[in-house]
């Protein structure tokens, strides 16, 4: 039955998910995760058979063959179909990028504490006997370590270089074009280009054509399978559904979508194929509510569907986003715990002319989040000064459900920051979030947003100790003197600056090496077909074909830097209340036997997050310095470097590299979380004071993205009146130059219970850092850190 | 600024993002001193107008530094058997050395002297949040009207800056004090506690005749008034008491709302720190308590 829109919109908070959706959700959620080597076998075969072809063609043929061969499944209940493996949430082995980590870790995979996978016996032996020996020495990872392994090792305590064993990802494809032309239409464009190609671009265009042609066939396979399954079904709802799937997939294999359901199905196929080509974290759909809305509006107008049907379809897509996970090595899984695959969907925001862009679909997506409450998609709401009150309210309501979503980003702060980074007005206003909190324009930007994480806190530790690591004892930086050699704070700061410069200089060539080998090993013709201006230029996206080509480096961590420098400035240099030698000795001993000194460091100087300008400005100054400094370099694709202020979950492992610090933090314990957040438990004055501190940090220079975590008590969302207070906090946030904030709405007691009794808390999701994960699937040290974060909203 | 800016007063806390004391996002200023002594008091550190030191055993790491620095030997590290600092309040001259030295903030004054200027500076930090949320400042305590001069000057300074003001009060004060602050208060949150005068005396230490009279006076003004009663088992939460208060308020001014709020029983720890007797044990009813 088709219902009028207004009756549905008014009732939205009460609408429950359908039985079908609940059943699909349960199946996704309860599936055991396995390692999958099916695609690896196909890729290996293609590489073996085509040894002399250029890599880009080998890659195109591998993808094409996988699209034709890989086993597919359809659950008759599904409204949206497609996956890259027959098993849900499988860990796909992807040989070109690197197997040596898996070679070392495969037997431990089922047992590791963070993100384990089961391994079937036959797969294990195939991997060990055939797969790994063939690829040894031929992968991205092998080449990077072969050429630059020692250098990477030498700086690893300070700089973590990313994407060394997997494809880059972190990109928003141009979904709009995919919907407009379909793979068939894109193929025609590429074929035309191919006919007129130069010797340099010929292989590129040919590869694009190969992948698009296979994409059409892949979609058709679903049509055939659905038709077959329908034949065996008795006359019922399921049979009708399968017939509809067959019809839709047949259409999409040749033509662009026409209806809302076809458009959603088409979007999902795009992301499945992108994952099959690259197996990477974060291909993000971007502003779904904008590019899908015309389909919805048309279907509603013609009466093909109503909002209830639309919502069920959207729910089904949301479930799909949870069926692909990305398997990382054990070390990396600690930095990105709980599968942040990064299907980031952005809603709200502004249109090209600056008008509010919120539409019915924006609200339906919030409702789908309310229904599904899984970790994907990563839902982001763009707010601006003219966001409608109703949208703010609905965001608050959904945040209050405690899934950590939507995370909130601020147009008023981000758009100017993008423009300052060199994006044009049109692209800046059309930005979306990529992955976790990375900021990007849609369909034209390879942001390489996760190039490296730079541990400023470690550099500070080295500056206290003549460049020598307090953890490993190694001489890592230049001999710049010990704390007791500095007669005043500014001399100390000069040494700090020199140490930072030293490591930036070491980091840049490492970033370059990684990018160079990505170009060699992982050209991505299918992705290039949906990124402007790769097709026009005839250049693969990894080789700089995109319109924008920046790289992002995260400065870590502003809270610990502010707090530690404040102690040095005030207690050590100005008041001389703590002796330099005394402090250094205590730090080296991890404050052993000197708890009073540690407590003085914690309690006798104000901390970042408490609205104390001079403290906040210490951190602001150094991240500002870092941002300016990296901007002086160009990346391998010729673009700028830009700073991000976010750690994902890396504050735990990065803290492990850092000895005790003057802020009273013990050796090897986590740093402050998030990126912009205060050190947990050190912010004593509530969220307004935190926001006031955060706004002193130059977010404008952090155009790669920032992250602020806040934890509130669920009671703040109990009554409409209280929720209104939360909404006004959101409104205040829009007025501040801060890009991002996200909320956990949970009591510490509940988290403690979940830790001790994981079985009864399987569904509890928590915002880690720019993404949501199942709390019980996180490693214990990360769980503890989240429990310790300060909660706001007490009476 | 004006001559009043240096007016001094005693407060024990300023709380930002206070969301349960009036509309919007607020900053609550907790004033020292209260003429009543409710057995369930939430903020016992606010009752006594005089400053003393208090000790939070949970934070203490028994380093003994406070004992060393005290010029009058008022502190002693003892064992029960866990280490604990004992304060001899008679020998303490509130010199503050121990507080400055204590690395964990386990020792604190129960309040501090401040000026209008200083308070306003704190208050103004969240100006943006008041404006957007329709919030402002709430004076609470203690009994804000106990320091009438200081309270009225803060409220006035807030109004000069266009900041919304609220006051949480028992209304136990001279009537002219009400008149004095009236122009500067946007919302009165009045705790009438117990209607029966003898019961009121029993549980708060004072009778409520003056309160009732002041309430009538206030209710006759144009000001917005909200009556808010904490529900204390067998004391304020009895049906008779609730009915009496509701009736009284309705008869006085039918526009005034009465709100009952749940009592937060986490306060006992504070009494222990202050070495005050806590008369309201959980689960015990009022009769065997006294
Ligand atoms: S100085 Fe503080 S921490 Fe040390 S013994 Fe005294 S009260 Fe306890
Ligand atoms: S305030 Fe002064 S006199 Fe009182 S205990 Fe502390 S140091 Fe001793």
């Amino acid at each position: 039955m088709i219902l009028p829109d207004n009756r549905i919109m008014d009732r939205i908070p009460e609408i429950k998910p359908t039985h079908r959706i609940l059943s699909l959700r349960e199946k996704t959620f309860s599936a055991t995760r396995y390692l999958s080597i099916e695609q690896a076998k196909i890729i290996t075969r293609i590489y073996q058979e085509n040894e002399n072809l250029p890599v880009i063609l080998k890659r195109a043929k591998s993808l094409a063959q996988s699209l034709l061969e890989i086993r597919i499944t359809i659950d008759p209940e599904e409204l949206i179909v497609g996956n890259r493996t027959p098993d849900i949430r499988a860990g796909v082995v992807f040989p070109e990028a690197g197997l040596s980590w898996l070679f070392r870790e495969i037997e431990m995979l089922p047992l590791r504490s963070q993100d384990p996978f089961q391994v079937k016996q036959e797969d294990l032996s195939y991997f060990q006997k055939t797969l790994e020996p063939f690829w040894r020495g031929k992968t991205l990872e092998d080449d990077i370590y072969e050429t630059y392994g020692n250098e990477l090792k030498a700086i690893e305590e300070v700089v973590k270089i990313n994407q060394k064993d997997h494809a880059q990802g972190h990109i928003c494809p141009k979904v709009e074009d995919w919907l407009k032309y379909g793979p068939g239409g894109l193929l025609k464009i590429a074929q035309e280009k191919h006919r007129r190609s130069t010797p340099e671009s010929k292989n590129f265009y040919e590869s694009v054509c190969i992948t698009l042609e296979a994409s059409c066939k892949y979609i058709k396979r679903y049509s055939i399978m659905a038709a077959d399954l329908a034949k065996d079904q008795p006359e019922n709802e399921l049979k009708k559904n399968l017939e509809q799937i067959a019809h839709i997939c047949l259409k999409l294999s040749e033509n662009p979508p026409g209806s809302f359901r076809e458009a959603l199905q088409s979007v999902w196929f795009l992301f499945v194929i992108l994952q099959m080509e690259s197996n990477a974290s974060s291909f993000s759909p971007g502003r779904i509510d904008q590019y899908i809305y015309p389909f919805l509006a048309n279907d509603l107008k013609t009466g093909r569907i109503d909002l209830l049907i639309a919502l069920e379809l959207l729910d089904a897509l949301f479930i799909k986003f949870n069926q692909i996970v990305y398997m990382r090595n054990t070390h990396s899984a600690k930095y990105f715990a709980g599968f942040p695959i990064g299907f980031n969907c952005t809603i709200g925001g502004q249109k090209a002319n600056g008008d509010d862009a919120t539409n019915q679909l924006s609200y339906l997506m919030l409702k789908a989040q309310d229904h599904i409450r899984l970790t994907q998609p990563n839902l982001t709401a763009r707010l601006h000064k003219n966001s409608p009150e109703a949208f703010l309210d609905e965001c608050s309501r959904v945040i209050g459900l405690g899934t950590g979503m939507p995370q909130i980003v601020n147009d008023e702060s981000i758009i100017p920051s993008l423009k300052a980074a060199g994006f044009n007005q049109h692209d800046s206003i059309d930005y979306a979030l990529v992955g976790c909190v990375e900021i990007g324009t849609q369909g034209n930007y390879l942001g390489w947003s996760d190039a490296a994480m730079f541990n400023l806190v470690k550099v500070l530790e080295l500056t206290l100790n003549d460049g020598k690591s307090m953890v490993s004892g190694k001489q890592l930086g230049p001999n710049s003197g010990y704390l007791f050699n500095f007669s005043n704070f500014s001399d100390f700061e000069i040494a700090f600056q020199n140490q930072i410069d030293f490591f930036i200089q070491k980091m840049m060539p490492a970033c370059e090496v990684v990018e160079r080998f990505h170009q060699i090993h992982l050209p991505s013709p299918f992705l290039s077909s949906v990124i402007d201006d790769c097709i026009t230029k005839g250049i693969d996206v990894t080789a700089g074909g995109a319109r924008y080509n920046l790289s992002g480096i995260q400065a870590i961590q502003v809270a610990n830097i502010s707090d530690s420098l404040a102690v040095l400035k005030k207690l050590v240099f100005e008041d001389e209340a703590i002796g330099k030698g005394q402090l250094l000795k205590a730090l080296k001993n991890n404050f052993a036997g000197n708890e009073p000194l540690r407590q003085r460091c914690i309690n006798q100087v104000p901390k970042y997050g408490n609205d104390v300008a001079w403290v906040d400005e210490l951190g602001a100054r150094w991240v500002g310095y870092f941002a300016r400094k990296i901007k002086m370099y160009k990346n391998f694709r010729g673009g700028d470097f830009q700073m991000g202020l976010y750690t994902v979950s890396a504050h735990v492992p990065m803290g492990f590299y850092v000895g005790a610090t003057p802020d009273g933090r013990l050796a090897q314990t986590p740093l402050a979380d998030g990126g912009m957040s205060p050190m947990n438990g050190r912010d004593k004055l509530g969220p307004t004071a935190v926001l006031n501190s955060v706004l002193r940090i130059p977010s404008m220079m952090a155009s790669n993205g920032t992250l602020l975590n806040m934890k509130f008590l669920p009671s703040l969302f109990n009554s409409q009146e209280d929720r209104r207070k939360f909404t006004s906090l959101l409104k205040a946030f829009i007025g501040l130059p801060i890009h991002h904030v996200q909320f956990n709405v949970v009591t510490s007691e509940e988290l403690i219970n979940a830790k001790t009794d994981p079985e009864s808390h399987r569904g509890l999701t928590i915002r880690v850092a720019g993404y949501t994960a199942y709390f019980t699937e996180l490693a214990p040290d990360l769980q503890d850190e989240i429990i310790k974060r300060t909660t706001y909203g007490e009476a | 600024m004006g001559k009043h800016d240096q007016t001094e007063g005693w407060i024990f806390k300023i709380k930002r993002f206070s969301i349960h004391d009036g509309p919007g996002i607020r900053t609550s200023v907790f004033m020292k001193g209260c003429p009543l002594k409710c057995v369930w008091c939430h903020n016992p550190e606010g009752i006594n107008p005089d400053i003393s030191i208090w000790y939070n055993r949970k934070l203490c790491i028994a380093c003994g530094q406070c004992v060393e620095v005290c010029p009058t030997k008022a502190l002693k590290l003892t064992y029960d058997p866990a280490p604990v600092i004992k304060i001899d309040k008679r020998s303490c001259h509130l010199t503050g050395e121990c507080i400055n030295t204590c690395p964990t903030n386990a020792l604190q004054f129960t309040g501090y002297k401040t000026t209008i200027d200083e308070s306003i500076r704190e208050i103004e930090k969240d100006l943006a949040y008041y404006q957007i949320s329709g919030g402002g400042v709430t004076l609470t305590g203690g009994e804000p009207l106990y320091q009438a001069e200081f309270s009225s000057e803060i409220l006035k300074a807030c109004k000069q800056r266009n900041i919304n003001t609220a006051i949480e009060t028992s209304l136990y004060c001279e009537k002219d004090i009400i008149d004095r602050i009236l122009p500067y208060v946007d919302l009165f949150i009045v705790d009438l506690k117990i209607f029966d005068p003898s019961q009121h005396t029993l549980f708060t230490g004072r009778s409520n005749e003056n309160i009732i009279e002041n309430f009538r006076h206030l209710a006759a003004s144009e000001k917005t008034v909200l009556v808010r009663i904490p529900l204390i088992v067998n004391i304020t939460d009895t049906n008779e008491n609730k009915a009496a208060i509701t009736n009284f308020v309705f008869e006085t001014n039918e526009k005034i709302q009465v709100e009952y709020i749940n009592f937060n029983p986490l306060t006992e720890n504070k009494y222990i720190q202050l070495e005050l007797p806590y008369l309201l044990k959980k689960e015990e009813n009022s009769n065997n308590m006294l």
Side-chain angles (χ1 to χ4, degrees):
Chain A
M1 184 185 52
I2 308 291
L3 293 174
D5 295 356
N6 53 1
R7 266 185 57 196
I8 296 172
M9 286 317 273
D10 291 347
R11 273 177 37 209
I12 267 218
E14 300 112 61
I15 297 169
K16 297 267 176 297
T18 61
H19 287 300
R20 178 205 300 270
I21 291 300
L22 291 175
S23 152
L24 288 169
R25 184 187 185 279
E26 179 54 30
K27 283 182 229 171
T28 298
F29 190 38
S30 55
T32 309
R33 291 189 302 265
Y34 281 96
L35 185 82
S36 164
I37 59 166
E38 192 178 353
Q39 197 184 352
K41 284 182 182 170
I42 299 170
I43 296 171
T44 308
R45 201 178 75 224
I46 297 292
Y47 270 62
Q48 282 168 336
E49 289 168 2
N50 298 281
E51 226 173 309
N52 296 322
L53 278 186
V55 176
I56 192 165
L57 281 164
K58 280 197 258 194
R59 291 259 299 152
K61 282 177 187 289
S62 300
L63 173 61
Q65 203 54 40
S66 305
L67 290 167
L68 298 183
E69 251 182 54
I70 213 129
R71 284 174 304 147
I72 60 172
T73 49
I74 294 175
D75 182 323
E77 281 193 305
E78 283 187 310
L79 296 171
I80 306 288
V81 299
N83 200 343
R84 60 171 176 166
T85 50
D87 288 333
I88 288 170
R89 300 181 93 205
V92 169
V93 178
F94 205 73
E96 303 108 296
L99 289 180
S100 31
W101 75 264
L102 192 56
F103 182 65
R104 288 189 304 272
E105 297 178 10
I106 190 163
E107 287 175 64
M108 290 304 291
L109 216 48
L111 305 172
R112 67 186 194 180
S113 63
Q114 191 63 65
D115 303 345
F117 286 87
Q118 301 303 313
V119 182
K120 291 177 186 140
Q121 192 50 48
E122 72 257 34
D123 290 348
L124 177 65
S125 66
Y126 178 83
F127 178 86
Q128 287 173 333
K129 292 205 187 93
T130 315
L131 201 60
E132 194 279 332
F134 172 79
W135 286 98
R136 195 176 301 164
K138 298 191 182 78
T139 67
L140 171 78
E141 184 188 17
D142 297 334
D143 265 356
I144 290 174
Y145 280 104
E146 171 89 1
T147 347
Y148 220 67
N150 293 335
E151 287 83 349
L152 291 171
K153 186 97 191 127
I155 56 170
E156 74 177 359
E157 288 183 57
V158 177
V159 181
K160 177 164 190 289
I161 302 286
N162 293 315
Q163 342 295 353
K164 299 192 296 289
D165 58 16
H166 56 86
Q168 160 60 22
H170 290 92
I171 195 163
C172 268
K174 194 153 195 199
V175 188
E176 223 175 325
D177 277 4
W178 173 264
L179 292 174
K180 186 165 157 200
Y181 300 109
L186 292 175
L187 175 63
K188 283 199 196 96
I189 296 169
Q191 281 167 336
E192 187 52 38
K193 284 281 189 184
H194 185 218
R195 260 193 293 285
R196 290 190 267 132
S197 61
T198 62
E200 294 84 53
S201 64
K202 186 172 153 294
N203 287 338
F204 169 72
Y205 286 124
E206 188 180 338
S207 304
V208 172
C209 292
I210 291 171
T211 60
L212 286 169
E213 212 171 322
S215 300
C216 296
K217 291 182 182 155
Y218 174 68
I219 296 172
K220 195 158 183 180
R221 288 176 66 204
Y222 280 92
S223 169
I224 296 167
M225 174 176 266
D228 279 353
L229 288 172
K231 276 191 218 122
D232 302 336
Q233 284 281 345
E235 283 303 326
N236 61 15
E237 268 303 305
L238 294 181
K239 185 187 184 85
K240 247 193 267 164
N241 182 44
L242 287 164
E243 284 167 352
Q244 219 172 339
I245 291 170
H247 174 77
I248 290 170
C249 293
L250 184 64
K251 174 166 181 194
L252 293 179
S253 70
E254 288 157 5
N255 292 299
S259 70
F260 180 68
R261 180 168 176 178
E262 287 165 8
L264 294 185
Q265 178 64 67
S266 172
V267 168
W268 180 240
F269 276 133
L270 169 63
F271 284 90
V272 171
I273 301 169
L274 284 169
Q275 281 294 346
M276 284 174 78
E277 179 177 58
S278 293
N279 184 49
S281 175
S282 306
F283 289 101
S284 294
R287 304 181 74 187
I288 290 199
D289 67 342
Q290 302 305 301
Y291 57 71
I292 298 281
Y293 182 66
F295 295 94
L296 176 65
N298 191 48
D299 278 10
L300 293 174
K301 202 169 81 195
T302 59
R304 193 203 300 256
I305 58 171
D306 66 13
L307 286 171
L308 284 183
I309 298 171
L311 180 59
E312 191 183 28
L313 288 164
L314 211 49
D315 285 351
L317 179 67
F318 271 44
I319 291 173
K320 272 294 175 191
F321 285 128
N322 291 279
Q323 294 187 351
I324 291 181
V325 298
Y326 170 62
M327 180 173 69
R328 297 166 186 273
N329 67 47
T330 301
H331 186 63
S332 192
K334 284 188 197 153
Y335 283 73
F336 308 96
F339 308 113
I341 183 82
F343 288 119
N344 201 325
C345 297
T346 303
I347 56 175
Q350 296 165 61
K351 296 181 187 162
N353 65 3
D355 287 353
D356 175 61
T358 313
N359 57 42
Q360 280 172 321
L361 190 50
S362 324
Y363 291 90
L364 283 188
M365 289 186 65
L366 286 169
K367 186 60 202 177
Q369 176 60 30
D370 173 356
H371 277 175
I372 304 306
R373 303 192 195 184
L374 294 176
T375 57
Q376 294 292 328
N378 193 358
L379 190 62
T380 303
R382 275 179 53 173
L383 300 184
H384 56 95
K385 57 181 189 303
N386 297 321
S387 291
E389 194 75 20
F391 187 59
L392 290 170
D393 268 359
E394 186 60 4
C395 285
S396 300
R397 186 185 72 81
V398 176
I399 288 168
L401 301 173
T403 64
M405 290 190 259
Q407 60 177 346
I408 301 296
V409 289
N410 184 1
D411 281 9
E412 308 300 336
S413 162
I414 290 178
I415 293 169
S417 154
L418 284 172
K419 285 196 215 157
F423 293 90
N424 71 32
Q425 160 77 17
H426 177 271
D427 290 334
S428 299
I429 209 164
D430 197 32
Y431 81 91
L433 256 61
V434 185
C436 299
V437 296
E438 299 86 313
I439 302 166
T441 59
Q442 297 181 93
N444 53 29
Y445 174 39
L446 179 55
W448 213 281
S449 43
D450 211 7
M453 293 190 172
F454 189 96
N455 196 336
L456 282 168
V457 191
K458 180 69 192 180
V459 178
L460 182 70
E461 179 224 282
L462 295 173
T463 314
L464 296 164
N465 196 35
D466 194 32
K468 203 181 299 132
S469 169
M470 291 190 200
V471 175
S472 65
K474 286 189 215 151
Q475 185 71 39
L476 299 179
N479 300 95
S480 59
Y482 294 92
L483 177 58
F484 47 75
N485 296 127
F486 302 105
S487 53
N488 56 51
F489 185 63
S490 50
D491 284 354
F492 178 81
E493 282 193 301
I494 291 169
F496 184 38
Q497 179 176 326
N498 290 336
Q499 293 281 358
I500 293 174
D501 291 353
F502 175 83
F503 285 101
I504 290 179
Q505 251 168 46
K506 296 260 171 201
M507 169 175 66
M508 288 307 184
C511 291
E512 189 170 313
V513 167
V514 171
E515 279 215 34
R516 182 148 53 85
F517 282 117
H518 271 256
Q519 283 190 15
I520 293 172
H521 287 279
L522 297 175
S524 306
F526 179 74
L527 172 60
S528 302
S529 76
V530 282
I531 293 294
D532 289 345
D533 307 314
C534 297
I535 297 296
T536 324
K537 292 191 209 159
I539 299 175
D540 188 84
V541 63
T542 56
R547 184 176 310 153
Y548 302 105
N549 280 294
L550 283 74
S551 286
I553 296 175
Q554 279 52 272
I556 291 166
Q557 195 76 298
V558 78
N560 302 96
I561 291 293
S562 306
D563 294 354
S564 294
L565 287 176
V567 168
L568 291 172
K569 185 172 196 290
K570 183 86 177 40
L571 284 187
V572 177
F573 287 105
E574 281 175 17
D575 298 356
E576 296 180 5
I578 296 179
K580 293 165 194 157
Q582 181 196 8
L583 179 63
L584 183 58
K585 193 165 152 229
L587 293 174
K588 283 181 165 176
N589 292 333
N590 194 19
F591 292 107
N594 208 344
E595 184 61 14
L597 182 65
R598 186 173 95 88
Q599 290 297 333
R600 286 175 69 191
C601 292
I602 294 173
N603 295 308
Q604 294 187 343
V605 181
K607 296 285 179 282
Y608 172 75
N610 294 290
D611 198 2
V612 178
W614 73 268
V615 174
D616 306 338
E617 278 155 11
L618 286 169
R621 173 177 142 87
W622 286 104
V623 298
Y625 176 78
F626 183 80
R628 282 193 300 277
K629 193 77 194 177
I630 60 172
K631 230 188 157 121
M632 294 172 179
Y633 293 79
K634 290 278 176 210
N635 68 22
F636 195 56
R637 287 160 292 137
D640 284 340
F641 281 92
Q642 58 180 349
M643 177 180 68
L645 292 170
Y646 61 86
T647 47
V648 199
S649 58
H651 59 295
V652 178
M654 293 204 100
F656 193 72
Y657 282 122
V658 187
T661 37
D663 56 353
R665 184 193 134 274
L666 290 172
Q668 303 193 291
T669 59
L671 304 175
D673 67 84
M676 308 286 267
S677 313
M679 187 66 177
N680 58 30
R682 306 271 160 91
D683 51 320
K684 307 281 191 198
L685 301 176
T688 57
V690 170
L691 287 174
N692 285 2
S693 277
V694 173
L695 72 86
R696 297 198 178 97
I697 308 303
S699 287
M700 279 304 281
M701 300 170 92
S703 40
N704 193 46
T706 67
L707 200 159
L708 172 63
N709 273 319
M710 287 192 165
K711 196 162 114 186
F712 282 87
L713 287 177
S715 55
L716 184 58
F717 297 83
N718 284 352
S719 74
Q720 190 132 31
E721 166 65 19
D722 283 344
R723 209 167 72 209
R724 215 170 291 136
K725 296 190 183 188
F726 178 80
T727 308
S728 48
L729 197 66
L730 285 186
K731 278 195 220 161
F733 165 77
I734 300 167
L736 302 172
I738 304 175
H739 294 336
H740 166 278
V741 63
Q742 64 180 23
F743 304 95
N744 273 315
V745 178
V746 65
T747 61
S748 299
E749 295 79 62
E750 190 181 352
L751 295 179
I752 292 165
N753 290 342
K755 195 184 167 201
T756 43
D757 175 18
E759 259 321 291
S760 31
H761 293 85
R762 263 197 329 156
L764 177 66
T765 56
I766 189 89
R767 202 71 186 158
V768 179
Y771 67 92
T772 295
Y774 300 107
F775 185 74
T776 57
E777 287 188 358
L778 297 176
D781 46 355
L782 188 54
Q783 289 181 329
D784 288 337
E785 189 280 312
I786 291 170
I787 291 169
K788 279 190 209 145
R789 292 179 194 168
T790 317
T791 314
Y792 309 120
E794 276 105 352
Chain B
M1 295 240 343
K3 63 181 162 60
H4 294 304
D5 291 347
Q6 294 308 315
T7 309
E8 288 179 340
W10 292 89
I11 67 178
F12 61 95
K13 188 165 66 178
I14 291 188
K15 183 175 191 280
R16 293 163 70 174
F17 195 67
S18 174
I19 47 175
H20 303 291
D21 301 322
I25 295 171
R26 312 189 72 82
T27 294
S28 293
V29 182
F30 291 77
M31 320 274 297
K32 279 288 275 181
C34 180
L36 306 181
K37 230 189 193 123
C38 307
V39 292
W40 60 84
C41 180
H42 263 90
N43 298 310
E45 71 271 37
I47 297 176
N48 191 335
D50 298 327
I51 300 301
S52 60
I53 57 175
W54 66 336
Y55 169 65
N56 187 344
R57 188 173 179 176
K58 272 203 210 140
L59 295 178
C60 177
I61 54 171
C63 66
Q65 293 183 44
C66 53
V67 178
E68 271 167 48
V69 298
C70 175
T72 62
K73 306 254 172 299
L75 301 172
K76 216 191 277 158
L77 182 57
T78 61
Y79 296 86
D80 75 349
V84 57
I85 294 292
K86 283 272 177 281
I87 307 167
D88 177 4
K89 296 238 159 126
R90 281 163 315 181
S91 321
C92 170
H93 295 153
L94 300 174
T95 61
E97 274 96 334
C98 59
I99 288 163
N100 293 335
T101 305
C102 175
T104 65
N105 295 337
L107 288 165
Q108 300 266 303
F109 284 126
T110 53
Y112 56 97
K113 198 198 269 180
T114 185
T115 61
I116 300 294
D117 239 5
E118 258 173 34
S119 316
I120 289 292
R121 223 175 297 139
E122 274 307 299
I123 288 167
E124 282 187 324
K125 287 182 177 169
D126 279 355
L127 210 54
Y129 306 95
Y130 312 148
Q131 280 162 0
I132 280 176
S133 67
V137 166
T138 301
L139 296 192
T140 177
E143 168 54 65
L145 299 183
Y146 189 85
Q147 296 183 59
E149 159 86 8
F150 186 64
S151 290
S152 77
E153 291 306 322
I154 290 196
L155 293 166
K156 189 156 133 198
C158 287
K159 286 325 302 173
Q160 281 165 356
R161 289 162 178 80
N162 237 334
I163 298 172
N164 176 285
T165 56
I167 182 165
E168 277 190 319
T169 172
S170 67
L171 290 185
Y172 189 94
C173 62
E174 302 292 322
K175 193 153 121 203
D176 62 327
I177 290 179
I178 309 263
D179 291 327
R180 182 158 166 199
I181 60 160
L182 207 63
Y184 314 122
V185 179
D186 296 313
L187 169 67
F188 281 83
I189 303 173
V190 180
D191 180 1
L192 290 178
K193 307 177 205 290
I194 305 167
F195 195 69
D196 178 81
S198 62
Q199 291 280 305
H200 197 280
T201 314
L202 182 62
F203 291 107
T204 74
R206 308 268 179 157
S207 178
N208 63 346
E209 278 119 35
N210 156 277
I211 292 175
I212 296 296
E213 197 180 313
N214 284 339
F215 185 80
R216 289 210 176 92
H217 182 62
L218 176 64
S221 76
E222 289 295 288
K223 288 289 164 180
T224 313
V225 178
L226 170 71
V227 173
R228 184 186 270 181
I229 317 284
L231 292 174
I232 314 295
V233 180
N234 290 341
I235 303 178
T236 65
D237 81 339
T238 62
N239 288 338
E240 308 87 81
N241 187 49
K242 287 198 281 188
I245 288 178
T246 311
N247 273 340
F248 165 68
V249 172
F250 185 80
E251 277 164 18
T252 314
N253 181 340
E254 57 183 45
K255 278 188 268 172
I256 296 177
Q257 290 196 357
V258 183
E259 188 180 288
Y260 294 94
I261 54 166
N262 288 323
F263 180 68
N264 166 15
L266 294 172
T267 324
E268 187 176 356
N269 195 33
K270 277 194 186 175
Y271 283 80
I272 296 171
Q273 291 171 30
L274 289 163
E275 297 172 30
L276 293 173
Y278 185 64
L279 300 172
L280 191 83
K281 290 271 188 222
K282 238 181 168 179
E283 268 113 41
E284 284 177 4
N285 70 30
S286 58
N287 295 331
N288 43 28
M289 190 181 77
L290 286 171

